[in-house]
């Protein structure tokens, strides 16, 4: 357990829909016990949170941000490699350090990296520069607060609830989320998360819901997964990946290793854009043969 007041990271990154990660000056407390845990924070600030996703273009920059009122030292920058079929799956995350990996012009709102940022990796998965930062609204201070509590009801069953309230100049919002994780068998796990958000900006109201269901089996030679994701176009407080907002996706995945050197993988899914009903259907079968330093794929 601890409680503190000062420069804090809200640090709510355990769940997807209830994600909330900001740099603020305020109060924070955490407790982690055998069955119960919580994280809570509160801050009075005139800062607004901004999240930007910039596709790498093969150069070091300049990469232009959307604001020129960035609060000094508030930025958190990572390079994310996302699955080309499943942008919600982050294959690799590389944190960036100021002066060592990049330079930032706070007043000009620009980034310059010490090396080129590729647009794709060797497997054609897209690479994004994800920038979270705070901007000074210049208005009156308002309160932002929230937290998550989790309880292990019985062995293998954990329930969690999240509540967030964000206040800023000209806009405010709230988010409520519940999550659950159930170990049905040693190799079979069910996870679920449901959330709703309400926010008001410039006199307009926005309200939407989101749902994630995931059933996964994992053993030494065989793994399988089926999932359903539905995230509303107006959901959230700006902390989810933009590629997932306003989409509905469901599908199955499976992988089998009949021998130590051969892996067979198959999957199929359908994704629907909730705004215009555009859809995409994907089916894939892949075989990988690995021996020594040699990989053969088809």
């Amino acid at each position: 357990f601890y409680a503190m007041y000062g420069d804090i990271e809200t640090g709510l990154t355990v769940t997807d829909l209830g994600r909330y990660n900001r740099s603020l000056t305020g109060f924070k407390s955490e407790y982690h016990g055998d069955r119960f845990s919580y994280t809570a924070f509160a801050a009075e600030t005139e800062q607004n949170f901004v999240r930007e996703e910039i596709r790498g273009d093969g150069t070091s920059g300049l990469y232009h941000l959307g604001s020129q009122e960035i609060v000094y030292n508030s930025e958190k920058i990572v390079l994310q490699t996302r699955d080309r079929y499943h942008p919600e799956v982050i294959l690799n995350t590389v944190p960036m350090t100021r002066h060592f990996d990049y330079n930032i012009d706070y007043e000009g709102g620009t980034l310059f990296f010490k090396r080129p940022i590729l647009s794709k990796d060797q497997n054609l998965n897209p690479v994004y520069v994800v920038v979270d930062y705070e901007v000074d609204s210049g208005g009156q201070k308002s309160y932002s607060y929230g937290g998550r509590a989790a309880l292990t009801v019985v062995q293998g069953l954990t329930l969690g609830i999240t509540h967030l309230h964000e206040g800023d100049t000209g806009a405010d919002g709230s988010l409520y989320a519940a999550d659950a994780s159930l170990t049905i068998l040693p190799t079979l796990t069910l996870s679920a998360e449901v959330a709703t958000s309400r926010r008001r900006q410039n006199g307009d109201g926005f309200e939407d819901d989101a749902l994630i269901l995931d059933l996964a089996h994992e053993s030494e030679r065989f793994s399988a997964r089926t999932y359903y994701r539905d995230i509303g176009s107006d959901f959230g407080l700006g902390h989810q990946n933009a590629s997932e907002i306003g989409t509905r996706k469901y599908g199955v995945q499976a992988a089998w290793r009949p021998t130590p050197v051969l892996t067979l993988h198959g999957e199929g899914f359908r994704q629907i854009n909730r705004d215009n009903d555009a859809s995409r259907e994907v089916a894939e079968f892949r075989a990988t043969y690995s021996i020594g330093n040699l990989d053969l794929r088809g």
Side-chain angles (χ1 to χ4, degrees):
F1 166 84
Y2 74 83
M4 63 168 288
Y5 182 87
D7 293 334
I8 62 172
E9 300 283 343
T10 57
L12 295 176
T13 58
V14 175
T15 61
D16 189 352
L17 301 180
R19 176 183 175 84
Y20 195 80
N21 193 22
R22 293 183 64 180
S23 300
L24 298 168
T25 298
F27 170 83
K28 183 180 180 181
S29 177
E30 284 192 89
Y31 170 80
H32 295 278
D34 292 335
R35 296 183 58 187
F36 177 74
S37 64
Y38 77 81
T39 300
F41 73 93
E44 185 182 20
T45 179
E46 72 279 5
Q47 296 174 190
N48 295 343
F49 173 80
V50 178
R51 178 184 177 89
E52 295 195 36
E53 302 174 10
I54 307 171
R55 183 71 179 271
D57 61 9
T59 72
S60 299
L62 294 172
Y63 291 91
H64 295 269
L65 302 175
S67 176
Q68 298 180 350
E69 301 292 337
I70 303 172
V71 176
Y72 279 53
N73 303 317
S74 69
E75 82 278 0
K76 293 189 285 288
I77 301 177
V78 299
L79 298 185
Q80 282 188 355
T81 303
R82 302 175 183 174
D83 188 287
R84 58 178 175 154
Y85 290 144
H86 299 276
E88 75 277 8
V89 178
I90 309 302
L91 300 175
N92 189 34
T93 299
V94 181
M96 297 282 102
T97 303
R98 184 157 58 99
H99 300 314
F100 184 78
D101 295 308
Y102 70 92
N103 289 323
I104 182 171
D105 182 348
Y106 290 106
E107 296 180 356
T110 58
L111 293 171
F112 185 81
F113 291 89
K114 299 300 181 70
R115 62 179 179 86
I117 306 301
L118 301 179
S119 62
K120 299 178 181 179
D121 69 359
Q122 61 183 1
N123 295 318
L124 304 181
N125 297 303
V127 178
Y128 288 85
V129 180
V130 180
V131 188
D132 294 345
Y133 60 91
E134 303 285 329
V135 296
D136 191 345
S137 67
Q140 295 181 346
K141 290 186 176 182
S142 58
Y143 285 99
S144 293
Y145 55 84
R148 178 180 182 268
L151 175 66
T152 301
V153 181
V154 294
Q155 185 175 2
L157 174 61
T158 300
L159 304 177
I161 57 172
T162 301
H163 170 59
L164 299 168
H165 174 78
E166 183 175 79
D168 55 39
T169 303
D172 62 78
S174 297
L175 185 146
Y176 304 86
D179 61 272
S181 177
L182 173 63
T183 301
I184 303 172
L185 297 171
T187 60
L188 186 63
T189 303
L190 173 66
S191 59
E193 188 174 359
V194 60
T196 184
S197 67
R198 302 180 183 91
R199 56 188 173 90
R200 178 183 55 84
Q201 187 169 1
N202 299 325
D204 296 325
F206 303 90
E207 181 176 351
D208 224 324
D209 305 319
L211 172 67
I212 296 177
L213 298 173
D214 197 303
L215 180 65
H217 167 81
E218 191 74 36
S219 61
E220 184 177 356
R221 297 180 59 183
F222 179 75
S223 63
R225 172 179 174 245
T226 182
Y227 57 89
Y228 178 87
R229 298 174 61 91
D230 190 1
I231 302 178
S233 303
D234 293 322
F235 173 78
L237 301 177
H239 290 257
Q240 282 73 36
N241 287 341
S243 60
E244 292 304 293
I245 298 298
T247 63
R248 180 183 296 116
K249 181 186 296 185
Y250 50 89
V252 294
Q253 298 174 329
W256 178 45
R257 294 185 61 192
T259 70
V261 297
L262 178 63
T263 301
L264 304 178
H265 173 91
E267 76 166 299
F269 72 86
R270 187 170 194 248
Q271 177 174 313
I272 303 169
N273 187 312
R274 291 177 43 146
D275 292 331
N276 56 22
D277 288 331
S279 64
R280 177 172 67 165
E281 292 78 29
V282 174
E284 180 189 37
F285 176 78
R286 182 173 66 249
T288 304
Y289 182 83
S290 303
I291 181 169
N293 295 324
L294 178 65
D295 284 345
L296 299 176
R297 299 180 185 178

